[in-house]
């Protein structure tokens, strides 16, 4: 460029965008995709596919009869792979990721910050597998002895995890950052399963399936303080916010116990169920929910007077339950009907997860999963739902919209999902 006095020189350059390769995969396959750029359709076809387009801002639309339309806008400036899970028509919760995991995923827990997902493997080792919930990438595998694990619970800071192992009747304290097992605490009972922390996090409660009791462990020294007799085959537990009482679910006879933690005295407040499995409480509203795998329903306990009432009917074999942070949505995983030969084999129905309005008992949405949906957890911010297909060794991650969005959804697939449960 030569500059001369009194003369203006200008140049204009138009750069041609680079070509980029995109790989698009959908579940199920053979969905129709369309890619738009600048408001104009530039390519379309069926998935799975590999396409080459120019760099720039594009809109991707994916459709398939019987499924919700999926549409996304994003910038393409390098080769990329996109994998999508399509939601059945009318479903409000959106599937983000499905990935394989270790054998028999029994428990699943988000860390308090929501960045990690800890999955306990009943069929391990590995006993625990840790994943990035947004990508499905395995971050770590933890082997504890030569057995699997049942459930995990975190302290509020998310620095410690407490993992139960039924074969050794023990709970292991794990450093969340280093993944190192810090100590082993024995329940001195049999088949220890569910773990729960006291509100001050100084005590750990462990329900012992075959011991018919709950072990109370002092976390300052890791020693057993006492074993409290309970209903037959105890499983789920709930500690009141004041730390005075412990509620215990009885799977063996469908009972609920209330234990006075000062003196260990217990009172059976309910005996009208068949197989009470899991408990989750809403301390603000003074309500406790209990899943009954035998009667295919949820019971509701008034924590002020311990009166129990029928709350809502569910799909077959409801097991793990959880509440949204605001207590307005109850999530219920249902295994589906058992195989007549053995519940260790896939049954005639797919499992499911129900989203229930706690104010009315009405279905807000429903998700059809795989074989025996079992483990279930909600991230602390309420945005992510994770659950397992127990017999398929698989984890599913869903994005959950706000309660207001769900309530405007007309029940989502609450009714329509029923016809999808029976296997063809």
């Amino acid at each position: 460029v030569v500059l001369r006095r009194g003369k203006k020189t200008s140049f204009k350059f138009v750069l041609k965008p680079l070509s980029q390769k995109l790989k698009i995969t959908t579940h199920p396959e053979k969905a129709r995709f369309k890619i738009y750029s600048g408001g104009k359709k530039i390519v379309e076809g069926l998935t799975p596919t590999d396409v080459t387009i120019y760099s720039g801002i594009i809109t991707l639309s994916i459709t398939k009869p019987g499924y919700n339309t999926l549409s996304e806008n994003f910038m393409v400036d390098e080769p990329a792979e996109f994998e999508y899970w399509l939601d059945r028509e009318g479903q409000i919760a959106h599937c983000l990721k499905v990935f394989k995991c270790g054998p028999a995923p029994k428990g699943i827990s988000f860390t308090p910050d929501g960045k990690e997902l800890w999955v306990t493997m009943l069929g391990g080792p590995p006993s625990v597998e840790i994943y990035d919930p947004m990508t499905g990438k395995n971050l770590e595998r933890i082997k504890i002895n030569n057995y699997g694990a049942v459930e995990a619970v975190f302290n509020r800071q998310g620095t410690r995890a407490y993992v139960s192992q039924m074969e050794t009747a023990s709970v292991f304290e794990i450093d969340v950052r280093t993944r190192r097992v810090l100590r082993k605490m024995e329940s001195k009972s049999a088949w220890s399963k569910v773990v729960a922390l006291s509100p001050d996090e100084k005590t750990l409660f462990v329900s012992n399936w075959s011991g018919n009791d709950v072990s109370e462990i002092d976390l300052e020294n890791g020693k057993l303080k006492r074993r409290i007799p309970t209903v037959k085959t105890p499983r789920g537990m709930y500690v009141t916010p004041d730390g005075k009482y412990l509620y215990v679910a009885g799977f063996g006879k469908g009972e609920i116990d209330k234990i006075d933690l000062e003196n260990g005295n217990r009172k059976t407040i309910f005996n009208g169920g068949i197989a009470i499995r899991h408990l989750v409480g809403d301390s603000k509203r003074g309500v406790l929910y209990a899943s009954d795998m035998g009667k295919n329903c949820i019971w509701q306990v008034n924590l002020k007077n311990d009166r129990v009432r029928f709350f809502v009917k569910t799909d077959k074999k409801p097991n793990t339950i959880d509440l949204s942070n605001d207590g307005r949505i109850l999530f219920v995983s249902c295994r589906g009907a058992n195989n007549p030969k053995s519940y260790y084999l896939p049954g005639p129905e797919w499992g499911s997860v129900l989203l229930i309005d706690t104010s009315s008992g009405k279905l807000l949405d429903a998700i059809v999963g795989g074989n025996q949906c079992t483990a279930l957890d909600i991230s602390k911010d309420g945005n992510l739902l994770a659950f397992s297909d127990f017999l398929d060794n698989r984890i599913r991650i869903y994005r959950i919209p706000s309660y207001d969005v769900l309530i405007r959804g007309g029940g989502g697939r609450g009714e329509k999902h029923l016809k999808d449960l029976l296997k063809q």
Side-chain angles (χ1 to χ4, degrees):
V1 178
V2 178
L3 300 180
R4 293 186 175 87
R5 189 186 303 274
K7 185 176 180 181
K8 295 181 179 180
T9 304
S10 64
F11 297 90
K12 181 179 180 181
F13 299 91
V14 178
L15 302 181
K16 185 178 180 181
L18 292 173
S19 296
Q20 306 292 355
K21 291 184 177 181
L22 299 184
K23 182 176 182 179
I24 303 171
T25 305
T26 63
H27 306 273
E29 296 182 341
K30 298 189 183 305
R32 178 158 294 279
F33 75 92
K34 296 178 182 180
I35 298 178
Y36 299 84
S37 178
K40 296 181 179 180
K41 183 174 65 178
I42 57 175
V43 64
E44 69 175 306
L46 296 177
T47 61
T49 187
D50 292 284
V51 297
T52 300
I53 63 173
Y54 289 121
S55 297
I57 298 175
I58 68 167
T59 298
L60 172 64
S61 175
I62 299 175
T63 59
K64 186 176 178 68
Y67 294 83
N68 291 337
T69 296
L70 190 150
S71 183
E72 282 196 342
N73 298 316
F74 48 85
M75 175 70 181
V76 176
D77 56 4
E78 61 183 357
E81 295 185 10
F82 298 97
E83 187 173 20
Y84 297 101
W85 282 263
L86 303 183
D87 304 310
R88 293 305 301 264
E89 189 174 18
Q91 185 173 292
I92 306 171
H94 173 51
C95 185
L96 296 175
K97 183 69 64 175
V98 178
F99 55 90
K100 297 290 286 185
C101 65
K106 190 70 169 179
I108 196 167
S109 302
F110 284 99
T111 50
D113 61 11
K115 293 181 179 180
E116 295 180 355
L117 191 68
W118 286 46
V119 183
T120 45
M121 307 295 168
L122 194 64
S127 312
V128 180
E129 291 186 342
I130 304 172
Y131 293 93
D132 180 329
M134 298 306 296
T135 65
K137 179 182 178 182
N138 181 268
L139 304 176
E140 191 71 68
R141 291 182 173 89
I142 302 174
K143 181 182 178 182
I144 305 174
N145 300 326
N146 290 315
Y147 301 103
V150 185
E151 294 201 3
V153 65
F154 298 97
N155 62 357
R156 280 187 292 272
Q157 290 186 333
T159 57
R160 295 289 184 270
Y162 299 94
V163 177
S164 60
Q165 189 174 74
M166 66 184 190
E167 291 88 350
T168 60
S170 304
V171 178
F172 296 84
E173 184 179 60
I174 300 175
D175 185 299
V176 172
R177 183 180 62 84
T178 65
R179 324 298 198 197
R180 189 165 63 91
V181 175
L182 301 178
R183 56 179 171 171
K184 173 185 177 181
M185 296 172 284
E186 297 181 353
S187 71
K188 304 293 185 179
S189 188
W191 273 41
S192 303
K193 288 198 172 187
V194 177
V195 286
L197 281 167
S198 62
D200 61 9
E201 299 190 338
K202 293 181 180 180
T203 304
L204 185 72
F205 299 97
V206 189
S207 65
N208 302 302
W209 179 267
S210 298
N212 297 325
D213 58 19
V214 167
S215 298
E216 186 177 1
I217 297 173
D218 186 339
L219 287 178
E220 290 186 2
N221 56 31
K223 301 296 184 181
L224 176 71
K225 293 172 65 176
R226 58 180 169 172
R227 288 168 56 191
I228 308 171
T230 65
V231 287
K232 184 182 169 101
T233 321
R235 205 181 190 289
M237 295 181 291
Y238 172 73
V239 190
T240 56
D242 58 13
K244 293 182 178 180
Y245 299 98
L246 176 71
Y247 289 82
V248 182
F251 192 86
K253 293 184 178 180
E255 301 166 310
I256 300 176
D257 261 3
K258 181 181 182 180
I259 298 171
D260 186 325
L261 291 174
E262 183 178 357
N263 52 36
N265 292 339
R266 70 183 181 96
K267 177 183 178 182
T268 300
I269 64 168
F270 179 68
N271 59 8
I274 294 180
I276 307 294
R277 185 185 188 273
H278 200 194
L279 302 177
V280 63
D282 182 348
S283 59
K284 293 180 181 178
R285 293 173 174 81
V287 174
L288 180 67
Y289 298 93
S291 60
D292 191 332
M293 287 187 68
K295 286 198 170 181
N296 301 324
C297 72
I298 303 296
W299 300 98
Q300 187 183 72
V301 183
N302 185 327
L303 293 174
K304 294 180 181 179
N305 54 28
D306 291 332
R307 291 178 181 170
V308 182
R309 73 177 184 93
F310 173 86
F311 178 56
V312 69
K313 190 77 174 173
T314 66
D315 293 340
K316 293 185 180 68
K317 306 298 179 186
N319 47 96
T320 311
I321 56 178
D322 201 3
L323 279 170
S324 59
N325 214 26
D326 59 8
R328 303 173 84 178
I329 309 168
L330 179 69
F331 298 83
V332 183
S333 66
C334 303
R335 290 188 352 186
N338 285 340
N339 186 303
K341 295 182 180 179
S342 169
Y343 63 85
Y344 290 111
L345 301 173
E349 289 185 339
W350 299 114
S352 62
V353 172
L354 308 179
L355 283 64
I356 299 171
D357 188 339
T358 56
S359 64
S360 65
K362 294 181 178 179
L363 278 176
L364 296 169
D365 202 5
I367 302 165
V368 175
N371 287 296
Q372 289 192 10
C373 299
T374 300
L376 178 146
D377 195 28
I378 307 299
S379 60
K380 189 174 181 180
D381 61 12
N383 292 331
L384 296 179
L385 159 70
F387 67 91
S388 72
D389 296 331
F390 181 73
L391 293 182
D392 299 327
N393 304 331
R394 184 166 54 206
I395 304 298
R396 298 173 185 260
I397 309 292
Y398 278 75
R399 185 172 298 283
I400 304 300
S402 68
Y403 173 80
D404 292 335
V405 172
L406 286 167
I407 203 71
R408 293 195 300 266
R413 284 193 65 80
E415 295 297 332
K416 295 178 181 178
H417 88 285
L418 294 173
K419 63 179 175 34
D420 299 327
L421 293 177
L422 193 62
K423 295 178 181 178
Q424 301 298 323

